[in-house]
Amino acid sequence: MSAGQAVVAVRQLSKWYGQVCALNDLTVAIPAGVTGLLGPNGAGKSTLMKLITGQLRPSQGEVRVLGQAVWGNPDLFLRVGYCPEQDAFYEEMTGLAWVRMLAELSGLPAGEAETAARRALALLDLGDAAGRPIGSYSKGMRQRVKLAQAIAHEPDLLVLDEPLLGLDPLGRRAVMTLIRAWGRDGRSIIVSSHVLHEVEALTSTIVLIDRGRVLAEGDVHQIRALIDRRPHTVRIRAGNVRELASWLAADEGVRSVRFEQGAITVETAAPDALYARVTALAAEGRVADVTEVTSPDDNLQAVFRYLVEP
Amino acid sequence: MAPRTPPPPGRAVRLIFDLSLGRMLWSSRSLFTALLAAAPLVLALAGRVLSTGGVAFAGSSGPADGLTSFGVLIMLVYARFVVPVAAVVLGTSIMADEVEGRTLTYLFARPVPRWAVLAGKYLAYLVCTALLVLPTVTVLYFALVPLASVGATFGLLLADLLALALGIAVYGAVFALAGARLRRPVVFGFLFVFGWEQVALLLPGTVNRVTVAGYLEALIPHDPPGSSGLFGLGQLVGDKPGVPEAVLCLLVVHAVCLWLATLAVARREYVE
């Protein structure tokens, strides 16, 4: 993905808070469509989103959104919607009044803002609660009304910081359905999360960041290929694990074998060869009662862990 | 369909004003300001009940007549204390409330220039503070000045109201700047009002020209009651500016502070 095609192009971006470096020389091009921004707490996801939405100014480097510089360019927000992470509201306002007011500030005439606010609230199952003060909303409703203000003016790019945080299953489903539908409509969405299966359910395009640096970006499958170069963990439960361990320990690629209750956990740089070897030993009858061959590396969580861990 | 033109600046200011005025009027800061502004009125009424000739003030030779009492309250209590304190309490909150409430993000993520956000909130401050202070002053006037004297002295009330309104505006601009630039603007505000201004007004020469209070007092059309006490001392040593100079200087301070505040708001990062 070239920076020219990207909805968000970040080049050599650094952000310091005093002596603390939140983002360090980060370069990434986020394509159109739905992109998951993944990383543990403190990775720099929220800082990057605040830079993308012009809340923060880069200490160094450049952020361009939809081809334009962000800092000091409020007109850009005609096309951008932002759902921040913080649980902060004008508590005394009703959900409808709040979303309508922000829609008007986004450039919609008063009448259209009312319609747009009602539509956004209905999309997030808040139609019945629209006339209630936000202060009376549950945590999930607060999260959804925050999302409603981001979508009411129908922006081209949505930036959602942990939008699924605190949602109950129904709310989560409503939000995920909305994000997928917006993606299908050709809009772009950047959604951050530290819960990987949530993002996996939304998109296969991800950017992994940790400690202010991009660890990997692109399709999940491409990122999976990256970890093939790194040691895998395979857990094997069998009858004679001590013998099995002695055979496997001599194999090329095996780095360590750890004993557990009736099982061994093998760390190997050649997982395919290990699977073939175990299959062969079982077929030859040299290993009895192989009841489990599993790898915790088969999900996105493991991809993330592999890339984050030193 | 997404809008493709931002709201006109005037409309953006109006929307921010509407949003901010209601929130500011019903805040605990406003309640405090209302009590502060009403306290002299309550005391004056109580004094009037207790005294047949008017309200007795410490340092004066005896009971003062109604208009003199009103003038003293305007100069000593409203211009020196109520207006500056109200401005510290409400003016510093113009941006600080949104920052502390972490709601500024929603406003800064709109196609609205940051100066419009400041302008809307500053106008809300002006209206809110004026509504809390000026009606009390008017009631105080009618409570203290005999009805027979109203016709002859009503112009003084109007001049007082205009001077206090200008004071609200200028102090508000100073503390809006403080709120836009500083992390603890209230501390700065009280140091400015009760530290710098009180000291500067007591110093000889033209030092009072680097205070807001010095110019504000020049606009208040009441003669000081004698020369005793802190107030009288300030009048003796200070070189009082003329009305045109005072108005001009206050307008310049107002404009410069608001301009600097807009620059600060445009450049400052309000989130971490």
Side-chain angles (χ1 to χ4, degrees):
Chain A
M1 163 73 41
S2 73
Q5 298 169 294
V7 290
V8 175
V10 172
R11 192 170 58 84
Q12 295 179 315
L13 178 68
S14 295
K15 182 64 192 176
W16 296 288
Y17 298 111
Q19 298 294 313
V20 178
C21 182
L23 293 177
N24 185 10
D25 198 30
L26 189 141
T27 296
V28 66
I30 297 177
V34 183
T35 300
L37 184 60
L38 299 173
N41 290 328
K45 303 185 300 292
S46 288
T47 297
L48 179 56
M49 291 198 146
K50 287 168 188 166
L51 285 154
I52 288 171
T53 54
Q55 307 298 306
L56 292 175
R57 177 170 41 191
S59 303
Q60 206 168 64
E62 183 185 39
V63 183
R64 296 188 76 82
V65 173
L66 302 169
Q68 300 179 46
V70 182
W71 179 257
N73 182 14
D75 287 0
L76 182 63
F77 293 99
L78 285 169
R79 301 177 62 195
V80 176
Y82 177 40
C83 176
E85 184 182 13
Q86 71 260 22
D87 182 55
F89 299 92
Y90 304 125
E91 304 281 350
E92 72 285 359
M93 290 183 84
T94 67
L96 176 62
W98 185 59
V99 176
R100 182 183 58 215
M101 183 270 296
L102 292 174
E104 283 192 66
L105 280 174
S106 293
L108 293 174
E112 286 182 36
E114 170 91 13
T115 308
R118 287 189 183 280
R119 187 174 56 232
L121 290 165
L123 267 174
L124 288 152
D125 294 335
L126 285 171
D128 293 340
R132 280 171 43 194
I134 296 174
S136 71
Y137 284 8
S138 68
K139 187 167 172 52
M141 293 164 82
R142 293 162 74 86
Q143 191 73 356
R144 280 181 281 152
V145 78
K146 199 165 63 176
L147 190 54
Q149 62 79 31
I151 66 170
H153 61 294
E154 300 197 15
D156 297 326
L157 170 65
L158 257 182
V159 181
L160 311 176
D161 198 352
E162 301 273 6
L164 302 172
L165 204 65
L167 289 176
D168 57 26
L170 284 178
R172 191 173 296 245
R173 190 174 66 184
V175 171
M176 292 175 96
T177 302
L178 178 95
I179 292 173
R180 282 193 289 258
W182 274 54
R184 279 196 302 273
D185 285 351
R187 298 175 198 273
S188 295
I189 302 165
I190 302 170
V191 52
S192 78
S193 178
H194 63 278
V195 183
L196 303 178
H197 71 266
E198 290 176 347
V199 172
E200 195 177 18
L202 292 171
T203 180
S204 62
T205 306
I206 61 172
V207 175
L208 279 163
I209 68 171
D210 185 46
R211 296 172 199 171
R213 287 178 172 275
V214 171
L215 294 176
E217 61 176 300
D219 190 270
V220 170
H221 304 295
Q222 292 174 311
I223 290 164
R224 282 282 293 167
L226 280 174
I227 68 165
D228 286 343
R229 301 189 204 117
R230 306 187 66 158
H232 279 223
T233 303
V234 179
R235 179 184 161 88
I236 306 163
R237 183 174 293 281
N240 50 340
V241 288
R242 290 199 171 275
E243 284 179 78
L244 176 62
S246 67
W247 287 318
L248 295 180
D251 284 0
E252 194 175 343
V254 172
R255 295 189 175 186
S256 69
V257 179
R258 192 173 67 247
F259 286 92
E260 294 170 18
Q261 192 76 32
I264 54 172
T265 298
V266 183
E267 189 183 64
T268 176
D272 292 343
L274 181 73
Y275 289 132
R277 177 88 161 121
V278 172
T279 303
L281 289 170
E284 291 165 11
R286 298 165 77 179
V287 181
D289 300 329
V290 179
T291 55
E292 179 187 338
V293 180
T294 57
S295 171
D297 307 326
D298 286 344
N299 58 42
L300 193 52
Q301 181 71 47
V303 177
F304 174 71
R305 196 172 60 244
Y306 264 117
L307 292 168
V308 169
E309 284 177 356
Chain B
M1 185 62 189
R4 288 295 178 257
T5 54
R11 181 156 181 262
V13 170
R14 175 66 192 267
L15 287 166
I16 300 287
F17 169 81
D18 288 346
L19 168 72
S20 305
L21 181 60
R23 301 192 75 222
M24 197 177 270
L25 273 173
W26 298 109
S27 67
S28 55
R29 291 171 190 258
S30 287
L31 178 63
F32 171 79
T33 303
L35 292 173
L36 187 74
L41 173 64
V42 173
L43 290 176
L45 290 174
R48 175 132 196 190
V49 168
L50 295 173
S51 159
T52 53
V55 183
F57 292 95
S60 65
S61 57
D65 66 84
L67 185 62
T68 306
S69 302
F70 175 71
V72 169
L73 283 172
I74 291 297
M75 294 194 81
L76 276 184
V77 179
Y78 281 93
R80 282 271 187 99
F81 186 73
V82 173
V83 166
V85 171
V88 171
V89 171
L90 292 169
T92 56
S93 75
I94 286 175
M95 298 303 288
D97 267 6
E98 298 273 358
V99 175
E100 287 167 15
R102 295 184 299 162
T103 47
L104 198 56
T105 299
Y106 298 113
L107 305 180
F108 282 177
R110 304 289 146 188
V112 169
R114 289 187 175 197
W115 68 258
V117 175
L118 179 71
K121 298 184 83 64
Y122 175 73
L123 289 174
Y125 152 81
L126 272 186
V127 172
C128 176
T129 312
L131 283 175
L132 293 171
V133 173
L134 300 186
T136 313
V137 170
T138 307
V139 174
L140 182 70
Y141 170 82
F142 284 108
L144 291 180
V145 176
L147 279 177
S149 307
V150 166
T153 61
F154 193 72
L156 291 175
L157 171 66
L158 294 181
D160 287 336
L161 292 176
L162 284 174
L164 294 180
L166 190 57
I168 288 168
V170 178
Y171 275 118
V174 172
F175 299 132
L177 171 61
R181 287 193 65 89
L182 305 176
R183 286 195 180 274
R184 296 182 189 280
V186 174
V187 174
F188 166 82
F190 283 121
L191 284 175
F192 181 82
V193 170
F194 295 117
W196 167 247
E197 291 218 311
Q198 299 304 319
V199 170
L201 288 174
L202 290 174
L203 294 176
T206 57
V207 183
N208 63 349
R209 281 173 163 74
V210 284
T211 66
V212 175
Y215 293 114
L216 195 55
E217 285 176 4
L219 298 179
I220 293 177
H222 297 280
D223 292 327
S227 59
S228 60
L230 202 63
F231 173 77
L233 180 61
Q235 292 300 310
L236 282 177
V237 297
D239 177 12
K240 190 175 176 181
V243 171
E245 181 194 353
V247 171
L248 182 66
C249 288
L250 287 175
L251 290 177
V252 169
V253 170
H254 180 253
V256 169
C257 286
L258 278 187
W259 176 67
L260 291 174
T262 58
L263 287 184
V265 169
R267 291 175 182 172
R268 186 170 164 189
E269 296 171 327
Y270 285 95
V271 296
E272 291 182 349

